[in-house]
Tab-separated table of all heavy atoms in Angstrom:
chain	number	residue	atom	x	y	z
A	1020	PRO	N	0.842	-1.208	0.000
A	1020	PRO	CA	0.000	0.000	0.000
A	1020	PRO	C	0.869	1.247	0.000
A	1020	PRO	O	1.889	1.316	0.700
A	1020	PRO	CB	-0.807	-0.130	1.299
A	1020	PRO	CG	0.025	-1.000	2.182
A	1020	PRO	CD	0.769	-1.945	1.275
A	1021	SER	N	0.487	2.233	-0.791
A	1021	SER	CA	1.285	3.447	-0.892
A	1021	SER	C	0.376	4.593	-1.335
A	1021	SER	O	-0.856	4.488	-1.281
A	1021	SER	CB	2.444	3.245	-1.882
A	1021	SER	OG	3.296	4.375	-1.897
A	1022	ALA	N	0.983	5.691	-1.738
A	1022	ALA	CA	0.238	6.848	-2.238
A	1022	ALA	C	0.839	7.276	-3.564
A	1022	ALA	O	2.055	7.329	-3.723
A	1022	ALA	CB	0.290	8.005	-1.240
A	1023	CYS	N	-0.025	7.580	-4.511
A	1023	CYS	CA	0.430	8.042	-5.826
A	1023	CYS	C	1.082	9.408	-5.684
A	1023	CYS	O	0.603	10.270	-4.946
A	1023	CYS	CB	-0.763	8.117	-6.785
A	1023	CYS	SG	-0.326	8.668	-8.442
A	1024	ASN	N	2.150	9.621	-6.412
A	1024	ASN	CA	2.870	10.892	-6.335
A	1024	ASN	C	2.973	11.553	-7.702
A	1024	ASN	O	3.852	12.362	-7.948
A	1024	ASN	CB	4.274	10.659	-5.763
A	1024	ASN	CG	4.769	11.886	-5.016
A	1024	ASN	OD1	3.980	12.619	-4.432
A	1024	ASN	ND2	6.059	12.108	-5.033
A	1025	MET	N	2.056	11.182	-8.600
A	1025	MET	CA	2.105	11.755	-9.943
A	1025	MET	C	1.473	13.145	-10.003
A	1025	MET	O	1.620	13.855	-10.997
A	1025	MET	CB	1.398	10.815	-10.926
A	1025	MET	CG	2.065	9.457	-11.066
A	1025	MET	SD	3.742	9.567	-11.738
A	1025	MET	CE	3.380	9.947	-13.449
A	1026	CYS	N	0.737	13.534	-8.975
A	1026	CYS	CA	0.234	14.898	-8.852
A	1026	CYS	C	-0.046	15.141	-7.370
A	1026	CYS	O	0.162	14.265	-6.537
A	1026	CYS	CB	-1.014	15.122	-9.702
A	1026	CYS	SG	-2.544	14.494	-8.989
A	1027	TYR	N	-0.545	16.330	-7.042
A	1027	TYR	CA	-0.704	16.650	-5.621
A	1027	TYR	C	-1.923	16.012	-4.968
A	1027	TYR	O	-2.167	16.205	-3.782
A	1027	TYR	CB	-0.722	18.153	-5.388
A	1027	TYR	CG	-1.757	18.952	-6.139
A	1027	TYR	CD1	-3.071	18.532	-6.234
A	1027	TYR	CD2	-1.425	20.165	-6.742
A	1027	TYR	CE1	-4.018	19.263	-6.898
A	1027	TYR	CE2	-2.371	20.912	-7.417
A	1027	TYR	CZ	-3.669	20.455	-7.492
A	1027	TYR	OH	-4.613	21.203	-8.154
A	1028	ASN	N	-2.722	15.253	-5.711
A	1028	ASN	CA	-3.910	14.650	-5.100
A	1028	ASN	C	-3.579	13.465	-4.207
A	1028	ASN	O	-4.333	13.143	-3.299
A	1028	ASN	CB	-4.911	14.245	-6.182
A	1028	ASN	CG	-5.604	15.455	-6.783
A	1028	ASN	OD1	-6.194	16.243	-6.077
A	1028	ASN	ND2	-5.502	15.618	-8.088
A	1029	GLY	N	-2.465	12.788	-4.462
A	1029	GLY	CA	-1.997	11.743	-3.558
A	1029	GLY	C	-2.980	10.620	-3.316
A	1029	GLY	O	-3.190	10.211	-2.172
A	1030	CYS	N	-3.587	10.080	-4.370
A	1030	CYS	CA	-4.561	8.998	-4.195
A	1030	CYS	C	-3.891	7.743	-3.626
A	1030	CYS	O	-2.723	7.464	-3.886
A	1030	CYS	CB	-5.212	8.661	-5.537
A	1030	CYS	SG	-6.203	10.007	-6.203
A	1031	SER	N	-4.673	6.981	-2.876
A	1031	SER	CA	-4.162	5.747	-2.269
A	1031	SER	C	-4.046	4.660	-3.334
A	1031	SER	O	-4.962	4.461	-4.136
A	1031	SER	CB	-5.088	5.281	-1.145
A	1031	SER	OG	-5.140	6.254	-0.124
A	1032	ILE	N	-2.924	3.950	-3.316
A	1032	ILE	CA	-2.668	2.927	-4.322
A	1032	ILE	C	-2.125	1.657	-3.676
A	1032	ILE	O	-1.704	1.655	-2.514
A	1032	ILE	CB	-1.656	3.406	-5.393
A	1032	ILE	CG1	-0.316	3.780	-4.739
A	1032	ILE	CG2	-2.215	4.576	-6.178
A	1032	ILE	CD1	0.775	4.152	-5.730
A	1033	LYS	N	-2.161	0.575	-4.451
A	1033	LYS	CA	-1.484	-0.661	-4.103
A	1033	LYS	C	-0.501	-0.970	-5.240
A	1033	LYS	O	-0.856	-0.875	-6.407
A	1033	LYS	CB	-2.477	-1.814	-3.948
A	1033	LYS	CG	-3.443	-1.656	-2.797
A	1033	LYS	CD	-4.172	-2.967	-2.498
A	1033	LYS	CE	-4.895	-3.487	-3.722
A	1033	LYS	NZ	-5.622	-4.768	-3.415
A	1034	VAL	N	0.717	-1.313	-4.858
A	1034	VAL	CA	1.767	-1.548	-5.848
A	1034	VAL	C	2.172	-3.018	-5.812
A	1034	VAL	O	2.544	-3.544	-4.755
A	1034	VAL	CB	2.996	-0.650	-5.566
A	1034	VAL	CG1	4.066	-0.862	-6.628
A	1034	VAL	CG2	2.582	0.821	-5.510
A	1035	HIS	N	2.095	-3.675	-6.957
A	1035	HIS	CA	2.452	-5.092	-7.061
A	1035	HIS	C	3.939	-5.192	-7.402
A	1035	HIS	O	4.384	-4.743	-8.454
A	1035	HIS	CB	1.621	-5.773	-8.145
A	1035	HIS	CG	1.715	-7.258	-8.125
A	1035	HIS	ND1	1.205	-8.075	-9.116
A	1035	HIS	CD2	2.278	-8.120	-7.211
A	1035	HIS	CE1	1.433	-9.343	-8.823
A	1035	HIS	NE2	2.086	-9.381	-7.677
A	1036	VAL	N	4.698	-5.777	-6.485
A	1036	VAL	CA	6.152	-5.914	-6.646
A	1036	VAL	C	6.498	-7.398	-6.755
A	1036	VAL	O	6.152	-8.187	-5.874
A	1036	VAL	CB	6.907	-5.273	-5.460
A	1036	VAL	CG1	8.422	-5.460	-5.631
A	1036	VAL	CG2	6.553	-3.796	-5.348
A	1037	VAL	N	7.177	-7.760	-7.825
A	1037	VAL	CA	7.637	-9.129	-8.048
A	1037	VAL	C	9.143	-9.111	-8.226
A	1037	VAL	O	9.667	-8.477	-9.137
A	1037	VAL	CB	6.970	-9.756	-9.290
A	1037	VAL	CG1	7.515	-11.169	-9.525
A	1037	VAL	CG2	5.449	-9.798	-9.128
A	1038	GLU	N	9.837	-9.760	-7.290
A	1038	GLU	CA	11.294	-9.834	-7.315
A	1038	GLU	C	11.928	-8.450	-7.481
A	1038	GLU	O	12.815	-8.233	-8.305
A	1038	GLU	CB	11.750	-10.773	-8.432
A	1038	GLU	CG	11.190	-12.169	-8.297
A	1038	GLU	CD	12.247	-13.252	-8.490
A	1038	GLU	OE1	13.387	-12.916	-8.844
A	1038	GLU	OE2	11.915	-14.408	-8.258
A	1039	GLY	N	11.408	-7.477	-6.692
A	1039	GLY	CA	11.995	-6.135	-6.682
A	1039	GLY	C	11.565	-5.236	-7.817
A	1039	GLY	O	12.030	-4.104	-7.917
A	1040	THR	N	10.672	-5.716	-8.681
A	1040	THR	CA	10.241	-4.923	-9.826
A	1040	THR	C	8.743	-4.640	-9.731
A	1040	THR	O	7.948	-5.545	-9.477
A	1040	THR	CB	10.520	-5.662	-11.146
A	1040	THR	OG1	11.923	-5.912	-11.253
A	1040	THR	CG2	10.063	-4.831	-12.342
A	1041	VAL	N	8.383	-3.379	-9.924
A	1041	VAL	CA	6.971	-3.001	-9.941
A	1041	VAL	C	6.365	-3.483	-11.252
A	1041	VAL	O	6.834	-3.125	-12.338
A	1041	VAL	CB	6.801	-1.478	-9.806
A	1041	VAL	CG1	5.330	-1.089	-9.963
A	1041	VAL	CG2	7.321	-0.995	-8.461
A	1042	VAL	N	5.311	-4.288	-11.161
A	1042	VAL	CA	4.677	-4.811	-12.365
A	1042	VAL	C	3.265	-4.258	-12.552
A	1042	VAL	O	2.714	-4.359	-13.648
A	1042	VAL	CB	4.640	-6.361	-12.345
A	1042	VAL	CG1	6.050	-6.919	-12.335
A	1042	VAL	CG2	3.843	-6.874	-11.147
A	1043	LYS	N	2.686	-3.681	-11.508
A	1043	LYS	CA	1.342	-3.148	-11.658
A	1043	LYS	C	1.036	-2.163	-10.530
A	1043	LYS	O	1.535	-2.312	-9.416
A	1043	LYS	CB	0.300	-4.278	-11.651
A	1043	LYS	CG	-1.100	-3.822	-12.053
A	1043	LYS	CD	-2.060	-4.995	-12.194
A	1043	LYS	CE	-3.403	-4.515	-12.721
A	1043	LYS	NZ	-4.373	-5.622	-12.862
A	1044	ILE	N	0.213	-1.172	-10.842
A	1044	ILE	CA	-0.290	-0.211	-9.851
A	1044	ILE	C	-1.809	-0.199	-9.944
A	1044	ILE	O	-2.376	-0.116	-11.045
A	1044	ILE	CB	0.261	1.202	-10.095
A	1044	ILE	CG1	1.784	1.216	-10.016
A	1044	ILE	CG2	-0.323	2.189	-9.092
A	1044	ILE	CD1	2.402	2.561	-10.374
A	1045	GLU	N	-2.490	-0.295	-8.810
A	1045	GLU	CA	-3.943	-0.243	-8.759
A	1045	GLU	C	-4.378	0.711	-7.661
A	1045	GLU	O	-3.616	1.000	-6.732
A	1045	GLU	CB	-4.539	-1.635	-8.469
A	1045	GLU	CG	-4.350	-2.664	-9.553
A	1045	GLU	CD	-5.000	-3.996	-9.204
A	1045	GLU	OE1	-5.523	-4.109	-8.066
A	1045	GLU	OE2	-4.980	-4.903	-10.049
A	1046	GLY	N	-5.614	1.177	-7.751
A	1046	GLY	CA	-6.181	1.960	-6.665
A	1046	GLY	C	-6.441	1.081	-5.460
A	1046	GLY	O	-6.686	-0.121	-5.582
A	1047	ASN	N	-6.386	1.690	-4.271
A	1047	ASN	CA	-6.593	0.939	-3.031
A	1047	ASN	C	-8.050	1.083	-2.580
A	1047	ASN	O	-8.460	2.151	-2.115
A	1047	ASN	CB	-5.652	1.452	-1.941
A	1047	ASN	CG	-5.659	0.570	-0.704
A	1047	ASN	OD1	-6.567	-0.230	-0.510
A	1047	ASN	ND2	-4.635	0.709	0.120
A	1048	PRO	N	-8.841	0.026	-2.694
A	1048	PRO	CA	-10.260	0.131	-2.331
A	1048	PRO	C	-10.499	0.298	-0.842
A	1048	PRO	O	-11.613	0.616	-0.420
A	1048	PRO	CB	-10.849	-1.197	-2.836
A	1048	PRO	CG	-9.694	-2.150	-2.827
A	1048	PRO	CD	-8.485	-1.328	-3.166
């Protein structure tokens, strides 16, 4: 779980990490 930093809105996100590599970003329900 993290926060998006692509703009100042800072939406809550979930980041899928596989072997140290980000493979997907989704919103956090």
Side-chain angles (χ1 to χ4, degrees):
S1021 185
C1023 180
N1024 209 32
M1025 297 297 287
C1026 79
Y1027 56 45
N1028 287 304
C1030 295
S1031 298
I1032 59 175
K1033 295 193 303 181
V1034 182
H1035 192 189
V1036 179
V1037 178
E1038 302 227 354
T1040 300
V1041 174
V1042 297
K1043 190 173 185 181
I1044 300 175
E1045 293 182 356
N1047 189 343

